[in-house]
Amino acid sequence: MSSLCPVPELSTSFLPKTRPSSSFRKLHRSFYLPLGSSSITNRSRSLKISNALYTEHVSLPKLPPRTADQDPISLLNERIRRDHSKRDGSSIRPAMESDEAERYIQLVKEQQQRGLQKLKGDRSKDGNVKEKGFSYKVDPYTLRSGDYVVHKKVGIGRFVGIKFDVPKGSNEPIEYVFIEYADGMAKLPVKQASRMLYRYNLPNETKRPRALSKLNDTSTWERRKTKGKVAIQKMVVDLMELYLYRLKQRRPPYPKTPAMAEFEAQFPYKPTPDQKQAFIDVEKDLTERGTPMDRLICGDVGFGKTEVALRAIFCVVSAGKQAMVLAPTIVLAKQHFVVISERFSPYPNIRVGLLSRFQTRSEKEEYLCMIKEGHLDIIVGTHSLLGSRVVYNNLGLLVVDEEQRFGVKQKEKIASFKTSVDVLTLSATPIPRTLYLALTGFRDASLITTAPPERVPIRTHLSAFSKDKVISAIKYELERGGQVFYVLPRIKGLEEVMKFLEQSFTDIELAIAHGKQYSKQLEDTMEKFAQGEIRILICTNIVESGLDIQNANTIIIQDVQQFGLAQLYQLRGRVGRADKEAHAYLFYPDKSLLSDQSLERLAALEEYCELGQGFQLAERDMGIRGFGTIFGEQQTGDVGNVGIDLFFEMLFESLSKVEEHRVIPVAYEDVQIDVNINTHLPSEYINYLENPMEIISEAEEAAEEGTWNLMQFTENLRRQYGKEPHSMEILLKKLYVRRMAADLGISRIYASGKMVVMDTNMSKQVYKLITESMASDIHRNSLFYNGDQIKAELLLELPKEQLISWIFQCLSELHASLPALIKY
């Protein structure tokens, strides 16, 4: 008797309970099957993933050697799997229902209009524009020689300068913008340039474009622009589907209780207007909505985001649920633990715990047990809280601080929580207001841009490094009883700075802090600094996020050219938390060593030194950070095709026309493939399949359920029986064709001579989008749109099997754009 072993992740089992009789094999030496036959019945639904088995002793027959590595079906399966893995969450989301999608799109469009009106400029009662409208296009006069720019129609070039020149047919000289391209110089009048040019910014501040575009060949640029457009469409559709999927998840609203008002009354400060609005937004999400909250609280450092989170935690915990507070570093987690413990100290029945790598194994086990049994109400920690060993008793709220600082796997785990529990994300990385307005309806966000009244702006000093300046700055802070952060970009230089400062400040307590220290040592150092025992902390940017030490009001940052603008902004925010004037000293080694881009970045930081100006800074230089916070890092790579500014403008355009890119799938059983092929499966393959009728019926069933199911079926078939013979491949291709046609809204495919015709409900806009993004010129150039049909004219009339293969390849390319389309 053979031993039976489970096969992981198989969607269907193909082996029957018994081997076929010898009489069956004699009768079916040459198995004949009309391809795509609809006469197959009695489909078996009893074989599931968990029950899939294989027998160890069965040997493979000697079939003709064929490789499955790069055949068309394998390539299509690879793409289906890749698209699926990029989606948020672990499961395939169902198609939207028509009515709810229509209502939702209308709501989004109304909110978009309100947002766009604000972008165009707020008008006062007398009709005058109070605020200048925002444009992603660049003012040519603000460009410097060598800056990279994007012309919407031509592509990426290098700005040379603005000069006067006399146009043809005129005697009056006018100003022209001169731009260098790969194959020559272009000039265009300044007025025209201001309508067509964008600054070319990239996610990586030091990055350069791969190549300049060509004036005489814009096809490469058009392809890059199309790639960016499709990437945007995919993002928008995925956001919509996720949002609608979340709206279907239900949880009862939390009760409003008098205890909540008492908790709020304990807040010792007067909330700012923005903070008050954030309180209202979160309270409504929790107490008035019956769906899980997913809100982003975005505000400058020290503007009161933590209080918003504390009130949400109280609301959830007082209703008997647990709350998890997730921080990117143990330093920040410890600080949250202290703040939460202090704020909840009047409530002895609410228990707060910190789970960290500093604890002994027995302490950890005790905490894990308490979490599982519900004896801890608020659990604070780092990414260890997302581990499989942490089992929650009744989790109701997840608070995530600085989500963008977590790794990809942690972000995926956080995303999986968003459909089942309330999630509140805190971010001090500014999000561009324009992007926020554009996304109203896709992501709930509250912006806190007003400084608390007692806060004094941070004074920023930018200069070449000088030991005398450093000593003077530190002396000033120490003499007024304060503490100092001294930050370097790398661990390597910390000891050297320590020696220099020890010589200058012999009676002052100093310490070093960086991420590679032993956990206990780092914790002790940070604890002593927080208590005021250590006066000068020499560290890396481990202190970048959230650390709140009221008495530290001077920060010295050495080698600023090695920090990103966002990092510098965050680091500077470590000081100025109290009512004392704070100082940030930014030192560079020698101006001659800095690039123009580095100097411009630092000048921007100095210019926007007022509190809350991080948002203006974001508009200019940090848009991509906010972009990553909302969309996730995987999307940011697509920005490189066109640059940030044009990408955002294309995003606006896509959002305002979202309903135009809609595909209406047709039912699988309603799709007709009028290409009749009769195929013979080799008798050797039939014998080895053991029950071909059951396998064919399961193939048809998988195709009816969806491309994902058909992909799993094909992969499992090949895993168990090897690469199929040509006739079986043609059969599978026809199933794929019918499935993809159904997804694309194609109801019938037939051939007439050299012409292939597809009856479709697809709109012209959708057809244009998906054909422009096709990788193959051969297929794209043969297709044309004709009302309710897509037609392809071939060079010659193909034999039936070749025709099926051609249609398969063509639909595979069209189907690749499906994630960019709304399906309902």
Side-chain angles (χ1 to χ4, degrees):
M1 183 171 174
S2 68
S3 60
L4 295 176
C5 307
V7 178
E9 296 183 351
L10 297 185
S11 65
T12 318
S13 171
F14 307 109
L15 295 180
K17 296 287 186 285
T18 57
R19 293 185 62 80
S21 65
S22 58
S23 58
F24 174 90
R25 290 199 292 274
K26 285 173 187 172
L27 286 168
H28 294 82
R29 276 288 171 220
S30 179
F31 181 79
Y32 168 81
L33 180 74
L35 187 62
S37 169
S38 58
S39 62
I40 297 166
T41 55
N42 301 322
R43 294 174 181 169
S44 167
R45 291 187 175 270
S46 62
L47 302 167
K48 300 298 176 190
I49 293 173
S50 58
N51 297 330
L53 305 170
Y54 72 87
T55 52
E56 282 187 335
H57 74 288
V58 176
S59 59
L60 290 170
K62 291 182 179 177
L63 295 171
R66 296 193 63 182
T67 174
D69 289 344
Q70 292 299 313
D71 73 286
I73 291 178
S74 292
L75 291 172
L76 175 60
N77 286 347
E78 239 175 74
R79 198 258 303 155
I80 292 167
R81 190 176 286 283
R82 193 166 57 244
D83 284 348
H84 180 254
S85 68
K86 283 181 182 177
R87 299 170 73 91
D88 236 337
S90 56
S91 61
I92 298 177
R93 294 191 290 277
M96 306 180 201
E97 289 174 16
S98 186
D99 290 348
E100 68 176 11
E102 299 255 356
R103 282 197 304 273
Y104 174 65
I105 287 172
Q106 192 54 41
L107 171 72
V108 169
K109 282 183 75 69
E110 286 168 10
Q111 290 171 324
Q112 290 291 316
Q113 286 306 311
R114 287 197 290 274
L116 290 169
Q117 278 168 12
K118 288 184 183 179
L119 288 181
K120 289 171 184 170
D122 293 334
R123 293 186 176 273
S124 57
K125 289 178 183 176
D126 58 5
N128 295 322
V129 177
K130 291 195 294 184
E131 198 178 309
K132 190 181 174 188
F134 183 84
S135 171
Y136 279 110
K137 296 176 182 71
V138 68
D139 178 353
Y141 292 108
T142 63
L143 292 168
R144 295 165 65 171
S145 182
D147 284 353
Y148 291 96
V149 292
V150 180
H151 186 288
K152 206 168 185 177
K153 291 184 178 174
V154 181
I156 301 163
R158 191 184 288 110
F159 175 75
V160 175
I162 297 176
K163 295 174 186 171
F164 278 96
D165 202 356
V166 180
K168 284 181 183 178
S170 171
N171 298 321
E172 288 291 317
I174 63 168
E175 282 186 301
Y176 282 93
V177 174
F178 286 81
I179 303 167
E180 179 192 350
Y181 287 94
D183 56 351
M185 187 77 71
K187 67 172 188 178
L188 62 160
V190 168
K191 278 187 179 177
Q192 189 184 334
S194 61
R195 293 195 303 271
M196 300 297 288
L197 287 185
Y198 304 79
R199 195 183 288 277
Y200 184 77
N201 293 322
L202 277 178
N204 181 338
E205 291 163 350
T206 59
K207 219 172 181 182
R208 295 283 182 268
R210 289 187 296 250
L212 297 182
S213 301
K214 291 182 179 179
L215 280 169
N216 297 315
D217 179 15
T218 57
S219 59
T220 305
W221 167 245
E222 287 299 329
R223 278 198 298 274
R224 287 177 74 173
K225 208 163 64 168
T226 299
K227 197 174 175 187
K229 187 178 178 181
V230 172
I232 287 168
Q233 274 297 122
K234 285 181 180 177
M235 254 186 322
V236 170
V237 169
D238 204 39
L239 278 170
M240 283 187 68
E241 289 181 356
L242 180 64
Y243 199 93
L244 280 167
Y245 180 67
R246 274 185 42 245
L247 289 179
K248 289 182 179 178
Q249 312 307 306
R250 310 304 298 174
R251 62 120 174 90
Y254 289 96
K256 280 186 186 178
T257 62
M260 283 171 64
E262 287 171 22
F263 183 83
E264 289 161 14
Q266 291 165 18
F267 185 51
Y269 306 103
K270 185 183 177 184
T272 61
D274 288 348
Q275 202 180 15
K276 201 178 284 183
Q277 187 56 51
F279 293 152
I280 293 166
D281 291 342
V282 173
E283 189 177 301
K284 279 185 176 177
D285 287 347
L286 293 172
T287 62
E288 295 179 18
R289 278 165 56 165
T291 55
M293 168 178 74
D294 178 17
R295 182 168 289 277
L296 175 70
I297 306 292
C298 188
D300 245 321
V301 284
F303 277 28
K305 299 185 296 293
T306 307
E307 178 62 21
V308 179
L310 290 172
R311 295 186 183 193
I313 290 168
F314 185 84
C315 176
V316 170
V317 170
S318 56
K321 297 249 187 180
Q322 290 173 306
M324 182 200 332
V325 180
L326 197 59
T329 64
I330 191 59
V331 173
L332 191 50
K334 182 75 187 291
Q335 186 172 296
H336 279 310
F337 173 70
V338 171
V339 170
I340 292 168
S341 299
E342 191 180 318
R343 190 83 161 80
F344 281 84
S345 57
Y347 304 91
N349 58 321
I350 295 176
R351 292 144 300 185
V352 187
L354 173 70
L355 192 68
S356 83
R357 55 193 168 122
F358 299 152
Q359 290 160 330
T360 63
R361 182 173 289 184
S362 59
E363 284 175 330
K364 270 186 187 171
E365 290 300 328
E366 187 185 345
Y367 267 70
L368 291 172
C369 187
M370 289 174 75
I371 293 167
K372 188 175 181 179
E373 292 175 6
H375 298 323
L376 272 184
D377 303 292
I378 305 168
I379 305 101
V380 187
T382 58
H383 57 83
S384 59
L385 292 181
L386 300 171
S388 56
R389 295 191 64 218
V390 186
V391 181
Y392 296 91
N393 181 275
N394 190 11
L395 187 64
L397 174 69
L398 168 63
V399 177
V400 186
D401 197 1
E402 299 294 340
E403 184 179 351
Q404 73 276 10
R405 297 196 65 200
F406 287 93
V408 174
K409 285 184 179 176
Q410 282 104 32
K411 283 180 182 171
E412 284 174 3
K413 183 75 176 175
I414 291 166
S416 70
F417 276 104
K418 289 185 179 181
T419 55
S420 55
V421 301
D422 292 279
V423 179
L424 190 64
T425 307
L426 312 178
S427 176
T429 303
I431 284 176
R433 185 172 284 278
T434 49
L435 182 57
Y436 161 67
L437 291 168
L439 289 167
T440 308
F442 288 91
R443 177 84 192 258
D444 296 325
S446 301
L447 300 187
I448 305 178
T449 58
T450 317
E454 66 277 5
R455 289 285 297 276
V456 181
I458 303 164
R459 288 193 63 186
T460 305
H461 313 267
L462 176 65
S463 68
F465 179 80
S466 150
K467 286 188 176 181
D468 291 340
K469 285 181 183 175
V470 169
I471 291 167
S472 171
I474 293 175
K475 268 185 181 173
Y476 173 76
E477 186 58 49
L478 295 178
E479 281 169 5
R480 63 176 185 168
Q483 292 164 271
V484 179
F485 288 106
Y486 196 121
V487 183
L488 284 92
R490 294 194 178 94
I491 295 171
K492 194 177 175 183
L494 297 177
E495 292 288 349
E496 192 182 325
V497 171
M498 179 85 162
K499 284 175 188 172
F500 151 59
L501 291 180
E502 279 177 335
Q503 289 168 4
S504 306
F505 301 96
T506 51
D507 55 343
I508 295 295
E509 187 75 25
L510 302 92
I512 284 176
H514 59 79
K516 293 198 175 171
Q517 287 177 322
Y518 288 116
S519 304
K520 191 67 181 163
Q521 182 188 358
L522 179 62
E523 185 185 28
D524 289 344
T525 302
M526 299 312 297
E527 186 68 35
K528 285 179 181 175
F529 188 63
Q531 297 300 325
E533 293 172 35
I534 293 168
R535 301 290 297 283
I536 304 171
L537 185 68
I538 305 154
C539 56
T540 58
N541 66 338
I542 190 172
V543 297
E544 179 187 332
S545 284
L547 203 64
D548 188 358
I549 294 169
Q550 299 278 317
N551 198 39
N553 283 298
T554 290
I555 185 165
I556 292 165
I557 305 172
Q558 192 174 313
D559 290 334
V560 285
Q561 77 283 358
Q562 293 186 35
F563 290 94
L565 191 58
Q567 282 180 312
L568 289 174
Y569 194 82
Q570 296 279 72
L571 284 167
R572 197 186 62 165
R574 296 309 101 217
V575 297
R577 297 300 187 96
D579 52 4
K580 282 182 185 176
E581 184 176 54
H583 295 267
Y585 295 89
L586 313 181
F587 290 116
Y588 50 84
D590 184 334
K591 258 193 176 172
S592 62
L593 299 174
L594 294 185
S595 66
D596 286 348
Q597 203 168 8
S598 297
L599 286 170
E600 197 175 320
R601 213 158 61 213
L602 298 172
L605 192 74
E606 198 169 39
E607 181 185 339
Y608 293 125
C609 63
E610 287 181 26
L611 290 162
Q613 295 300 297
F615 292 94
Q616 284 187 29
L617 194 63
E619 292 287 16
R620 178 167 161 181
D621 291 275
M622 284 163 56
I624 200 59
R625 280 291 189 102
F627 180 86
T629 306
I630 287 186
F631 294 117
E633 299 301 324
Q634 69 182 37
Q635 306 292 0
T636 58
D638 299 312
V639 178
N641 285 314
V642 293
I644 297 168
D645 290 357
L646 180 55
F647 195 87
F648 278 171
E649 183 160 290
M650 288 163 71
L651 175 64
F652 269 112
E653 202 176 310
S654 176
L655 289 164
S656 61
K657 297 176 180 175
V658 71
E659 79 286 359
E660 289 181 10
H661 296 115
R662 171 189 173 188
V663 66
I664 305 166
V666 296
Y668 177 81
E669 59 270 18
D670 294 340
V671 178
Q672 285 178 261
I673 310 295
D674 293 338
V675 181
N676 295 316
I677 306 173
N678 295 326
T679 186
H680 294 264
L681 295 183
S683 57
E684 195 176 30
Y685 187 67
I686 294 163
N687 292 341
Y688 182 55
L689 288 183
E690 299 174 346
N691 195 340
M693 293 299 284
E694 184 178 330
I695 288 175
I696 299 301
S697 72
E698 290 200 16
E700 188 92 35
E701 183 181 88
E704 190 173 340
E705 286 173 354
T707 46
W708 176 257
N709 303 73
L710 185 54
M711 179 273 290
Q712 285 186 310
F713 173 90
T714 310
E715 288 188 349
N716 295 337
L717 180 70
R718 289 177 169 186
R719 194 178 290 126
Q720 293 197 41
Y721 299 107
K723 176 71 175 73
E724 69 282 346
H726 178 69
S727 51
M728 185 66 178
E729 183 184 314
I730 293 296
L731 186 151
L732 290 171
K733 278 184 178 176
K734 192 163 182 183
L735 292 177
Y736 272 102
V737 164
R738 193 174 176 193
R739 178 65 262 166
M740 291 188 289
D743 293 342
L744 290 162
I746 295 168
S747 54
R748 184 184 175 214
I749 300 175
Y750 61 96
S752 177
K754 292 189 291 183
M755 191 73 74
V756 177
V757 183
M758 307 181 209
D759 293 346
T760 181
N761 59 28
M762 196 183 290
S763 71
K764 193 166 187 177
Q765 290 98 322
V766 168
Y767 170 80
K768 189 170 183 289
L769 178 79
I770 63 176
T771 49
E772 278 178 352
S773 60
M774 287 174 81
S776 164
D777 290 339
I778 297 168
H779 290 108
R780 181 173 54 248
N781 295 338
S782 66
L783 294 173
F784 60 95
Y785 184 81
N786 183 23
D788 56 358
Q789 291 181 327
I790 297 170
K791 294 183 177 180
E793 190 167 4
L794 309 181
L795 294 173
L796 67 159
E797 189 174 343
L798 295 175
K800 299 296 185 191
E801 287 191 3
Q802 285 184 34
L803 182 62
I804 279 290
S805 292
W806 189 93
I807 295 168
F808 172 87
Q809 292 280 31
C810 183
L811 286 189
S812 295
E813 291 212 27
L814 292 172
H815 198 267
S817 296
L818 204 62
L821 303 169
I822 306 164
K823 298 158 280 292
Y824 65 88

